[in-house]
Amino acid sequence: MSLKSFEESSVFNQLSKCSHQNVVFCSDEDTGLQAIIAIHDTTLGPALGGTRMWTYATEADALKDVLRLSRTMTYKAAITGLNLGGGNAVIIGDSSTGKTEALMRRFGRFIKNLNGSFITAEDLGTNPKDMEYIRMETQYVTGVPETLGGSGDPSPIAAKGVLMGIKACIKEHFGNDSLIGRTVAVQGAGQVGENLIHLLREEHTKVYVSDINEERAMLVAAKYGAHAIPNNSILDLEFDVYAPCAMGATINSETIPRMKCAIIAGSANNQLADEDVHGQMLLEKGILYAPDYLINAGGMINCYSELAGFSRKRTMQLAENIYSATRGVLQKSIRDQIPANRAADIIAEKRISDIRKIKGSF
């Protein structure tokens, strides 16, 4: 699932490499909206994906991000057994200064025009209030506040899924899934990271916390009885588990040789800078890797449950299924001697292929 040399290609060449079903460029002069909606695959159901608002250096960077994220969502839905396809959206701009009600509602109009083929939710730079504005223009949005009948904050479910992934890795590596006395370094103390820290501490795990905002790391560490460490030293210390819960691409050719962990399992998207190269490097180094799009699927599960009308209890049960799914991926990786991310891809691709045959019979 690697995407290379985007900056060297034309827009249409980029799209042809990725096999997306539909990519929509949204521009509105009155509100200042500049956005891209990418629908990767709808074999399993309508494409669900977050809307990210970010100050991309170039429009090519924004396109690269949305294409990669949308394809990840397809695989995420497939491997967790959800009847959803994959999509994603990005709004180009500063989320702290550029967001307005009008901009978000205009974006909602673009989603409405896709007639249900894309359903959005919050992502980096957006929040439940933004989803509320989008809901004013279209029904194809999840993650709205609970006061409006939505599921609210998805981060507790996302953190639960990551915890299940960590426990599956611990079971595979140590023979049992107890976290008592294990050491976990959580990089990123945002909403999912904080919820994960809370869950880990409830399991009597020794937790180390780092964040680009060191004051935030210290506050969260103090709140849960964890240990704050400088963000630039997290890879030089020895832990059982490294849990990246912030930005992606922290697993790369420079960081892998420094890593002293046995397991990598976190909530960040696109953790491997290059899926082919760095997945293989982790395999050769003997580090167990829980594919990010599998164990961070709790947010998608939360949105799916909102669409299906499931209870909170049922949503938690679906998140707990990430444990067995992760074990299946790790066992295939070990059995076939292939990187864990590739093992996950194969399992996801098989489900999509199987369902495509069923749909083709109608």
Coordinates of all heavy atoms in Angstrom, one line a residue, residues 271-317:
Q271 N 1.8 4.9 10.4 CA 3.0 4.9 11.3 C 4.3 4.6 10.5 O 5.4 5.1 10.8 CB 2.8 3.9 12.4 CG 1.7 4.3 13.4 CD 1.4 3.2 14.4 OE1 2.2 2.3 14.6 NE2 0.2 3.2 14.9
L272 N 4.2 3.7 9.5 CA 5.4 3.3 8.7 C 5.5 4.4 7.6 O 4.6 4.6 6.8 CB 5.2 1.9 8.1 CG 4.9 0.8 9.0 CD1 4.7 -0.5 8.2 CD2 6.0 0.6 10.0
A273 N 6.7 5.0 7.6 CA 7.0 6.0 6.5 C 6.9 5.4 5.1 O 6.4 6.0 4.2 CB 8.3 6.6 6.7
D274 N 7.3 4.2 5.0 CA 7.2 3.4 3.7 C 6.8 2.0 4.1 O 7.5 1.3 4.7 CB 8.5 3.4 3.0 CG 8.4 2.7 1.6 OD1 8.0 1.5 1.6 OD2 8.6 3.4 0.6
E275 N 5.5 1.6 3.8 CA 5.0 0.3 4.2 C 5.9 -0.9 3.8 O 6.1 -1.8 4.6 CB 3.6 0.1 3.7 CG 2.5 1.0 4.4 CD 2.3 2.3 3.7 OE1 3.2 2.7 2.8 OE2 1.3 3.0 3.9
D276 N 6.3 -0.9 2.6 CA 7.1 -2.0 2.1 C 8.5 -2.1 2.8 O 8.9 -3.1 3.3 CB 7.3 -1.9 0.6 CG 6.0 -2.0 -0.2 OD1 5.1 -2.6 0.3 OD2 5.9 -1.4 -1.3
V277 N 9.2 -1.0 2.8 CA 10.6 -1.0 3.3 C 10.6 -1.2 4.8 O 11.3 -2.0 5.4 CB 11.3 0.4 3.0 CG1 12.6 0.5 3.7 CG2 11.4 0.5 1.5
H278 N 9.8 -0.4 5.6 CA 9.9 -0.4 7.0 C 9.1 -1.5 7.7 O 9.5 -2.0 8.8 CB 9.4 1.0 7.5 CG 10.3 2.1 7.0 ND1 9.8 3.2 6.3 CD2 11.6 2.2 6.9 CE1 10.7 3.9 5.9 NE2 11.9 3.4 6.2
G279 N 8.1 -2.1 7.0 CA 7.5 -3.3 7.5 C 8.5 -4.5 7.5 O 8.6 -5.2 8.5
Q280 N 9.3 -4.5 6.4 CA 10.3 -5.6 6.3 C 11.4 -5.4 7.3 O 11.9 -6.3 7.9 CB 10.9 -5.6 4.9 CG 11.9 -6.7 4.6 CD 11.3 -8.1 4.7 OE1 10.2 -8.3 4.4 NE2 12.1 -9.0 5.2
M281 N 11.8 -4.1 7.6 CA 12.9 -3.8 8.5 C 12.5 -4.3 9.9 O 13.3 -4.8 10.7 CB 13.2 -2.3 8.5 CG 14.0 -1.9 7.3 SD 14.4 -0.1 7.4 CE 15.5 0.0 8.8
L282 N 11.2 -4.0 10.3 CA 10.7 -4.5 11.6 C 10.7 -6.0 11.7 O 11.1 -6.6 12.8 CB 9.3 -3.9 11.9 CG 9.2 -2.4 12.1 CD1 7.7 -2.0 12.2 CD2 10.0 -1.9 13.2
L283 N 10.3 -6.7 10.6 CA 10.3 -8.1 10.6 C 11.7 -8.7 10.9 O 12.0 -9.6 11.7 CB 9.8 -8.7 9.3 CG 9.7 -10.2 9.1 CD1 8.7 -10.8 10.1 CD2 9.4 -10.5 7.7
E284 N 12.7 -8.1 10.2 CA 14.1 -8.5 10.2 C 14.7 -8.2 11.6 O 15.5 -9.0 12.1 CB 14.9 -7.9 9.1 CG 14.5 -8.4 7.7 CD 15.2 -7.6 6.6 OE1 16.0 -6.7 6.9 OE2 15.0 -8.0 5.4
K285 N 14.2 -7.2 12.2 CA 14.8 -6.8 13.6 C 14.1 -7.6 14.7 O 14.5 -7.6 15.8 CB 14.6 -5.3 13.8 CG 15.3 -4.8 15.0 CD 15.4 -3.3 15.1 CE 16.2 -2.9 16.4 NZ 16.4 -1.5 16.5
G286 N 13.0 -8.3 14.4 CA 12.3 -9.1 15.4 C 11.3 -8.3 16.2 O 11.0 -8.7 17.3
I287 N 10.9 -7.1 15.7 CA 9.9 -6.3 16.5 C 8.5 -6.6 16.0 O 8.2 -6.6 14.8 CB 10.2 -4.8 16.3 CG1 11.5 -4.4 16.9 CG2 9.1 -4.0 16.9 CD1 11.9 -3.0 16.7
L288 N 7.6 -7.1 16.9 CA 6.2 -7.3 16.5 C 5.5 -6.0 16.3 O 5.6 -5.0 17.1 CB 5.5 -8.0 17.7 CG 5.6 -9.5 17.8 CD1 4.7 -10.0 18.9 CD2 5.3 -10.3 16.5
Y289 N 4.8 -5.9 15.1 CA 4.2 -4.7 14.8 C 2.7 -5.0 14.6 O 2.3 -5.8 13.8 CB 4.8 -4.1 13.5 CG 4.0 -3.0 12.9 CD1 3.8 -1.8 13.6 CD2 3.4 -3.0 11.6 CE1 3.1 -0.7 13.1 CE2 2.7 -2.0 11.1 CZ 2.5 -0.8 11.8 OH 1.8 0.2 11.3
A290 N 1.8 -4.3 15.3 CA 0.4 -4.4 15.2 C 0.0 -3.3 14.2 O 0.1 -2.1 14.4 CB -0.3 -4.1 16.5
P291 N -0.5 -3.7 13.0 CA -0.8 -2.7 11.9 C -1.7 -1.6 12.4 O -2.8 -1.9 13.0 CB -1.5 -3.6 10.8 CG -0.8 -4.9 11.0 CD -0.6 -5.1 12.5
D292 N -1.4 -0.4 12.2 CA -2.1 0.7 12.8 C -3.6 0.7 12.3 O -4.5 1.0 13.1 CB -1.4 2.1 12.4 CG -1.1 2.2 11.0 OD1 -1.7 1.6 10.1 OD2 -0.1 2.9 10.7
Y293 N -3.8 0.4 11.1 CA -5.2 0.6 10.6 C -6.1 -0.5 11.2 O -7.4 -0.4 11.2 CB -5.3 0.6 9.1 CG -5.0 -0.7 8.3 CD1 -6.0 -1.7 8.3 CD2 -3.9 -0.8 7.6 CE1 -5.7 -2.9 7.6 CE2 -3.6 -2.0 6.9 CZ -4.5 -3.0 6.9 OH -4.3 -4.2 6.2
L294 N -5.5 -1.5 11.8 CA -6.3 -2.6 12.5 C -6.6 -2.1 13.9 O -7.8 -2.1 14.3 CB -5.6 -3.9 12.4 CG -6.1 -5.0 13.4 CD1 -7.6 -5.3 13.1 CD2 -5.3 -6.3 13.2
I295 N -5.6 -1.8 14.7 CA -5.8 -1.6 16.1 C -6.4 -0.2 16.4 O -6.8 0.0 17.5 CB -4.6 -1.9 17.0 CG1 -3.5 -0.9 16.8 CG2 -4.1 -3.4 16.7 CD1 -2.4 -1.1 17.9
N296 N -6.3 0.7 15.4 CA -6.9 2.0 15.7 C -8.3 2.1 15.1 O -8.8 3.2 14.9 CB -6.0 3.2 15.2 CG -5.9 3.3 13.7 OD1 -6.7 2.7 12.9 ND2 -5.0 4.1 13.2
A297 N -8.9 1.0 14.8 CA -10.2 0.9 14.1 C -11.4 1.3 15.1 O -12.5 1.3 14.6 CB -10.4 -0.4 13.5
G298 N -11.1 1.5 16.3 CA -12.2 1.7 17.3 C -13.0 3.0 16.9 O -14.2 3.0 17.1
G299 N -12.3 4.0 16.4 CA -13.1 5.2 16.0 C -14.0 4.9 14.8 O -15.2 5.4 14.8
M300 N -13.6 4.1 13.9 CA -14.5 3.7 12.8 C -15.6 2.8 13.3 O -16.8 2.9 12.9 CB -13.7 2.9 11.7 CG -14.4 2.7 10.4 SD -13.4 1.8 9.2 CE -14.2 2.4 7.7
I301 N -15.3 1.9 14.2 CA -16.3 1.0 14.8 C -17.4 1.9 15.6 O -18.6 1.6 15.5 CB -15.7 0.0 15.8 CG1 -14.9 -1.0 15.0 CG2 -16.7 -0.6 16.7 CD1 -14.0 -1.9 15.9
N302 N -16.9 2.9 16.2 CA -17.8 3.8 16.9 C -18.8 4.5 15.9 O -20.0 4.6 16.2 CB -17.0 4.9 17.7 CG -17.9 5.7 18.6 OD1 -18.4 5.3 19.6 ND2 -18.1 7.0 18.2
C303 N -18.3 5.0 14.8 CA -19.1 5.6 13.8 C -20.1 4.6 13.2 O -21.2 4.9 12.9 CB -18.2 6.2 12.7 SG -17.3 7.6 13.3
Y304 N -19.6 3.4 12.9 CA -20.4 2.3 12.3 C -21.6 2.0 13.3 O -22.7 1.8 12.9 CB -19.5 1.1 12.1 CG -20.3 -0.1 11.5 CD1 -20.8 -0.1 10.2 CD2 -20.5 -1.3 12.3 CE1 -21.5 -1.2 9.7 CE2 -21.2 -2.4 11.8 CZ -21.7 -2.3 10.5 OH -22.3 -3.4 9.9
S305 N -21.3 1.9 14.6 CA -22.3 1.6 15.6 C -23.4 2.7 15.6 O -24.5 2.5 15.8 CB -21.7 1.5 16.9 OG -20.8 0.3 17.0
E306 N -22.9 4.0 15.4 CA -23.9 5.1 15.4 C -24.8 4.9 14.2 O -26.0 5.1 14.3 CB -23.1 6.4 15.3 CG -24.0 7.6 15.3 CD -23.2 8.9 15.2 OE1 -22.2 9.0 15.9 OE2 -23.7 9.9 14.5
L307 N -24.2 4.6 13.0 CA -25.0 4.4 11.8 C -26.0 3.2 12.0 O -27.2 3.3 11.5 CB -24.1 4.2 10.6 CG -23.2 5.3 10.2 CD1 -22.2 4.9 9.2 CD2 -24.1 6.5 9.6
A308 N -25.5 2.2 12.6 CA -26.4 0.9 12.7 C -27.3 1.0 13.9 O -28.2 0.1 14.1 CB -25.4 -0.3 12.9
G309 N -27.1 2.0 14.8 CA -28.0 2.1 16.0 C -27.6 1.1 17.1 O -28.5 0.8 17.9
F310 N -26.4 0.7 17.2 CA -25.9 -0.3 18.2 C -25.8 0.4 19.6 O -25.5 1.6 19.6 CB -24.6 -0.9 17.9 CG -24.6 -1.8 16.7 CD1 -23.5 -2.0 15.9 CD2 -25.8 -2.5 16.3 CE1 -23.5 -2.9 14.8 CE2 -25.8 -3.3 15.2 CZ -24.6 -3.5 14.5
S311 N -25.9 -0.3 20.6 CA -25.7 0.2 22.0 C -24.2 0.4 22.2 O -23.4 -0.1 21.5 CB -26.3 -0.8 23.0 OG -25.5 -2.0 23.0
R312 N -23.9 1.1 23.3 CA -22.5 1.3 23.7 C -21.9 0.0 24.1 O -20.7 -0.3 23.8 CB -22.5 2.2 25.0 CG -21.1 2.8 25.3 CD -20.7 3.8 24.3 NE -19.5 4.5 24.7 CZ -18.9 5.5 24.0 NH1 -19.4 5.8 22.8 NH2 -17.9 6.1 24.4
K313 N -22.7 -0.9 24.7 CA -22.1 -2.3 25.0 C -21.7 -3.0 23.8 O -20.7 -3.7 23.7 CB -23.2 -3.0 25.8 CG -22.7 -4.4 26.3 CD -23.8 -5.1 27.1 CE -23.3 -6.5 27.5 NZ -24.3 -7.2 28.3
R314 N -22.6 -3.0 22.8 CA -22.3 -3.7 21.5 C -21.0 -3.1 20.8 O -20.2 -3.8 20.3 CB -23.5 -3.7 20.6 CG -23.2 -4.3 19.2 CD -22.8 -5.7 19.3 NE -22.6 -6.3 18.0 CZ -21.9 -7.3 17.7 NH1 -21.2 -7.9 18.7 NH2 -21.8 -7.8 16.5
T315 N -20.9 -1.8 20.9 CA -19.8 -1.1 20.3 C -18.5 -1.5 21.0 O -17.5 -1.8 20.3 CB -19.9 0.4 20.5 OG1 -21.2 0.9 19.9 CG2 -18.8 1.2 19.8
M316 N -18.5 -1.7 22.3 CA -17.3 -2.1 23.1 C -17.0 -3.6 22.7 O -15.8 -3.9 22.5 CB -17.6 -2.0 24.6 CG -17.3 -0.7 25.1 SD -15.6 -0.1 25.0 CE -15.7 1.4 25.9
Q317 N -18.0 -4.4 22.5 CA -17.8 -5.8 22.1 C -17.1 -5.8 20.7 O -16.1 -6.6 20.5 CB -19.1 -6.5 22.0 CG -19.7 -6.8 23.4 CD -21.1 -7.5 23.3 OE1 -21.8 -7.4 22.2 NE2 -21.5 -8.1 24.3

